Amino acid sequence: KTGKFSVVYRGEMQPAGKQVIVKKLLGYSVSGDPALEKYRILSMMEHPSFQKVYGVTETEGAVYAVMDYIDGTDMKRWLQKNGRFRKRDQVRRVVLDILNALYFLHTHKMVHTDIKPANIILQHVKEHITRAVLIDPGEALLLDDPRPAKKPFALIYGAPEQVLGFTGLINETTDLYSLGVVMWEMLTGVKPFYYSHPAMTINLQLNRPLQN
């Protein structure tokens, strides 16, 4: 899978044969790049609702991040198939799992910055959801970074400070805002702010209150 900032592969960690995600990080030349410090921190963290990062390695001048492969269905596809969540207990299950993952991340002075349905994996038995796992921590922001870089994010789920480009104002509430937008979509089946043109979407986010 090729994206703007990375190329993603599915691999196997030897000798245990564990399934992993290997992400080739574009724009990094050496694994000692200070911008990769977050991966070192992430590799020391572990939570059942947060994708495990094993570390960063450099091979033939390319930098790769190795993460746990999470088996399940991402929420974006779940919503495309089911429209919305019809059982409130499932909404509660998912939101509590993601809130716990965010609390864990925030206590380590990091903010995810890209909360969206595609980054939430639903583990389930048939239609019964057993756990939600937050993935793709690669764009996480270190809160004590004196010069935080702009991070890519999904416009529809972005908090006002992200939409306006005020990177210095990003904090834990940024993730909570985005999770609130995800919750709205889970319950209603529609996105609270959406227009075909990005500028119109931004205008709706900043100026139009949500309808009850």
Side-chain angles (χ1 to χ4, degrees), residues 50-122:
F50 190 71
Q51 186 177 30
K52 172 65 179 174
V53 174
Y54 294 103
V56 175
T57 185
E58 182 184 358
T59 302
E60 298 179 352
V63 179
Y64 298 86
V66 182
M67 310 176 192
D68 202 10
Y69 172 76
I70 309 297
D71 191 23
T73 304
D74 72 66
M75 189 191 292
K76 180 178 180 180
R77 283 188 290 171
W78 180 280
L79 288 168
Q80 288 172 342
K81 177 183 177 182
N82 298 286
R84 64 181 177 87
F85 285 70
R86 290 170 172 78
K87 296 181 179 179
R88 296 297 175 92
D89 63 320
Q90 291 198 337
V91 175
R92 189 180 302 112
R93 167 79 276 164
V94 171
V95 172
L96 284 175
D97 281 348
I98 301 305
L99 281 173
N100 283 328
L102 288 177
Y103 177 77
F104 175 75
L105 187 64
H106 295 166
T107 57
H108 286 80
K109 303 300 182 183
M110 301 180 79
V111 181
H112 189 282
T113 76
D114 197 19
I115 305 297
K116 58 186 179 182
N119 280 342
I120 298 173
I121 298 295
L122 305 175

Side-chain angles (χ1 to χ4, degrees), residues 155-156 191-204 208:
L155 177 60
I156 296 169
K191 299 173 178 63
F193 304 111
Y194 179 74
Y195 199 83
S196 57
H197 194 284
M200 288 297 297
T201 298
I202 293 172
N203 182 59
L204 293 173
R208 191 184 76 175

